[in-house]
Amino acid sequence: MAMASLARRRAAEAVLLRRMQATAAWASAWRGYAAAPGEESDVVVIGGGPGGYVAAIKAAQLGLKTTCIEKRGALGGTCLNVGCIPSKALLHSSHMYHEAKASFAHHGIKFSNLEIDLPAMMSQKDKAVAGLTKGIEGLFKKNKVEYVKGFGKFVSPSEVSVDLLDGGSTTIKGKNIVIATGSDVKSLPGVTIDEKKIVSSTGALALSEIPKKLVVIGAGYIGLEMGSVWNRLGSEVTVVEFAPDIVPSMDGEIRKQFQRMLEKQKMKFMLKTKLVGVDTSGSGVKLTVEPAAGGEQSILECDIVLVSAGRVPYTAGLGLDSIGVETDKGGRVLVDKRFMTNVKGVYAIGDAIPGPMLAHKAEEDGVACVEFIAGKEGHVDYDTVPGVVYTHPEVASVGKTEEQVKASGVAYQVGKFPLLANSRAKAIDDTEGLVKVVAEKETDRILGVHIMAPNAGEIIHEAVLALQYGASSEDVARTCHAHPTVSEALKEACLQTYLKAIHI
């Protein structure tokens, strides 16, 4: 018995020793390129969003000792945690519900007792987010990026003080420091976002019940997407916009069709309208609005107000003034073509600098920035950054609008193809939309492509590639496209641009 007990004890000790050795090996592998305490990193990235975490991984892949500081405690930034990813999860779930309610019977699928389980819908969204954030942590380990959880601010051009989430503080030293702090919700004067009755996009992603009436302030990408989610789930949605049009950056012709489509889905619009007062004293919210040019006021009553008036760079509290980093009036960090600020060794990317506030643009910035730091050449072509509104149908675009080309004085030609004439769209009974191509008349070089169609956000990348390499509409038209696909609508629009489409 004594011998057996001794054997068991020695076996247990051996297992414990192996675990300790494995933990030590894991910790050693985790540090990898990471600087030891007090050691200087080659690159320190402040912010773990799409721009920041991609920059950190790329820097490590280029052989640079890299540290990434993230205040949220979860990687992925606004996009992954409370933006792009959870909103797309809800857009997809709400679209499935709407299809089941409005379209399934037409396809011969009938059932009774269709209902919404909102907690389950939210759980699916949260599960997707959690899986992806953990996935980025795994990529950090794989690429040997040191991950520091806390709020970082400059104490010198080569030092960042971090208030750690677990308590205490530390100082990270870096030869090169990249500001990748992203952006925050833009507030409106006199409007307090409490994430209960008056919510930002963050609150709109986590409502505990479906509001009977929802008012969206702002007719941009985010407002229309979140308005679509709750509209599909049964809310009466009204969009209030100060400007005369929704999504001002969109091609005018596409915009008009897009608005008609949203109105067909029972979303209401109050354009050229200004919010002048908010009353939350009752059980709901009362909004006082008036024409943007002035005039008679009216009252809108609702359960929830979504403030979606844009975003602002998140650069306050970083200690930029203390080291002399220049910003513009909007708080955006000013950089040169190599993403360097006016302070040597300090860089900035993504939403923190001028340019479109898009996750994929931030990622491209991050890669190019650290390539420059590593002594290589980086490049981002901002003329070929696509934009997508993830409603249904989706609206995607790249390049110039017809209005922009016309204003430039360049002679141009336009080709359009309606989805109503596309065989795949007809087969799946989803024919709302069109493809529009704008090309230079003399050379036929494509200047802009605008798509309103199911999965337009996937189709647009063919157009991005075409613009990137200076393709003509004939180049795309003569490229074989699989049949039947919605992508054939782009081929036909290009045919219509330089010659004549086949199927109209």
Side-chain angles (χ1 to χ4, degrees):
M1 288 292 290
M3 292 296 293
S5 177
L6 178 63
R8 285 195 295 271
R9 187 167 65 251
R10 286 179 175 175
E13 288 172 350
V15 170
L16 180 61
L17 178 61
R18 286 196 297 271
R19 286 178 179 174
M20 292 173 66
Q21 290 172 336
T23 300
W26 176 88
S28 176
W30 167 234
R31 292 203 63 81
Y33 290 126
E39 185 181 342
E40 189 176 42
S41 293
D42 294 315
V43 176
V44 174
V45 182
I46 306 176
Y53 87 73
V54 168
I57 290 172
K58 185 63 177 180
Q61 289 175 344
L62 291 172
L64 302 173
K65 292 180 180 178
T66 306
T67 300
C68 183
I69 304 165
E70 169 53 50
K71 69 180 179 65
R72 193 186 299 270
L75 294 167
T78 294
C79 173
L80 202 162
N81 289 278
V82 291
C84 321
I85 300 304
S87 65
K88 303 312 166 283
L90 290 184
L91 279 160
H92 180 67
S93 295
S94 62
H95 177 63
M96 292 176 71
Y97 169 74
H98 183 266
E99 285 289 282
K101 182 179 179 181
S103 302
F104 276 15
H106 184 64
H107 290 272
I109 304 170
K110 296 182 179 181
F111 49 85
S112 58
N113 300 321
L114 177 67
E115 61 181 21
I116 299 169
D117 184 344
L118 190 60
M121 191 179 291
M122 292 295 177
S123 177
Q124 190 279 329
K125 171 206 66 172
D126 294 340
K127 183 179 179 181
V129 169
L132 288 169
T133 55
K134 290 297 182 183
I136 299 173
E137 285 194 30
L139 291 173
F140 269 20
K141 293 173 186 176
K142 178 182 178 181
N143 290 281
K144 303 178 178 66
V145 175
E146 183 177 20
Y147 175 26
V148 178
K149 298 180 181 182
F151 183 87
K153 59 183 177 181
F154 285 93
V155 292
S156 80
S158 59
E159 293 176 301
V160 179
S161 173
V162 184
D163 294 328
L164 299 171
L165 291 183
D166 291 337
S169 63
T170 188
T171 298
I172 309 293
K173 297 180 180 180
K175 297 174 185 177
N176 303 279
I177 300 177
V178 180
I179 302 166
T181 46
S183 60
D184 202 355
V185 174
K186 182 180 181 180
S187 59
L188 293 174
V191 180
T192 301
I193 296 174
D194 59 12
E195 300 298 6
K196 295 178 181 178
K197 291 183 181 180
I198 302 178
V199 302
S200 66
S201 54
T202 300
L205 289 165
L207 297 180
S208 58
E209 59 184 35
I210 300 167
K212 292 181 179 179
K213 292 186 178 181
L214 170 71
V215 172
V216 179
I217 308 298
Y221 285 40
I222 298 172
L224 296 180
E225 288 180 2
M226 294 312 303
S228 290
V229 167
W230 296 107
N231 175 64
R232 294 168 186 168
L233 296 179
S235 297
E236 182 182 315
V237 177
T238 301
V239 181
V240 176
E241 171 58 53
F242 183 83
D245 300 299
I246 67 171
V247 197
S249 61
M250 192 177 286
D251 180 89
E253 183 178 12
I254 299 294
R255 183 197 304 124
K256 290 178 182 177
Q257 290 211 27
F258 182 38
Q259 184 176 336
R260 283 198 294 268
M261 181 271 295
L262 293 175
E263 289 172 336
K264 188 176 178 181
Q265 295 175 8
K266 297 184 180 180
M267 287 179 65
K268 300 176 183 178
F269 291 89
M270 296 180 68
L271 305 179
K272 299 182 183 179
T273 301
K274 178 169 60 176
L275 176 65
V276 295
V278 179
D279 179 4
T280 59
S281 60
S283 58
V285 184
K286 291 183 180 180
L287 302 176
T288 303
V289 298
E290 67 180 24
E296 185 177 351
Q297 295 184 347
S298 58
I299 301 293
L300 287 178
E301 295 189 26
C302 61
D303 303 291
I304 300 290
V305 177
L306 165 58
V307 177
S308 183
R311 300 186 66 82
V312 293
Y314 188 92
T315 53
L318 298 178
L320 301 184
D321 291 343
S322 67
I323 63 169
V325 171
E326 293 181 353
T327 60
D328 64 14
K329 293 181 179 179
R332 292 179 289 263
V333 180
L334 300 177
V335 295
D336 62 18
K337 292 181 179 179
R338 302 175 73 86
F339 299 96
M340 186 183 288
T341 69
N342 62 303
V343 177
K344 186 177 180 181
V346 178
Y347 301 77
I349 61 171
D351 289 4
I353 67 174
M357 288 183 167
L358 298 168
H360 44 285
K361 177 264 191 187
E363 291 183 7
E364 298 302 315
D365 284 356
V367 170
C369 178
V370 296
E371 285 178 334
F372 283 125
I373 290 172
K376 301 178 181 296
E377 286 300 314
H379 175 68
V380 182
D381 184 352
Y382 294 117
D383 290 331
T384 59
V385 174
V388 184
V389 187
Y390 294 90
T391 50
H392 189 87
E394 295 177 351
V395 181
S397 63
V398 64
K400 299 184 183 301
T401 65
E402 183 176 357
E403 291 78 14
Q404 289 172 328
V405 175
K406 187 175 182 179
S408 72
V410 174
Y412 67 94
Q413 51 202 15
V414 173
K416 292 176 281 189
F417 190 82
L419 258 64
L420 195 61
N422 174 263
S423 58
R424 180 65 181 276
K426 290 286 285 186
I428 63 176
D429 191 27
D430 204 348
T431 57
E432 289 274 7
L434 78 158
V435 178
K436 178 178 180 178
V437 176
V438 183
E440 187 176 13
K441 189 171 185 178
E442 183 179 356
T443 64
D444 191 35
R445 181 170 63 92
I446 297 174
L447 302 176
V449 176
H450 311 278
I451 305 172
M452 186 170 82
N455 298 315
E458 306 294 338
I459 302 169
I460 195 64
H461 298 106
E462 181 180 359
V464 174
L465 194 62
L467 265 72
Q468 185 69 56
Y469 287 93
S472 65
S473 66
E474 184 177 358
D475 289 331
V476 176
R478 289 187 178 277
T479 300
C480 185
H481 288 62
H483 175 80
T485 58
V486 178
S487 295
E488 288 178 286
L490 176 57
K491 173 187 174 81
E492 292 273 9
C494 285
L495 270 169
Q496 185 70 9
T497 303
Y498 89 95
L499 190 60
K500 188 171 178 60
I502 299 293
H503 292 96
I504 53 172

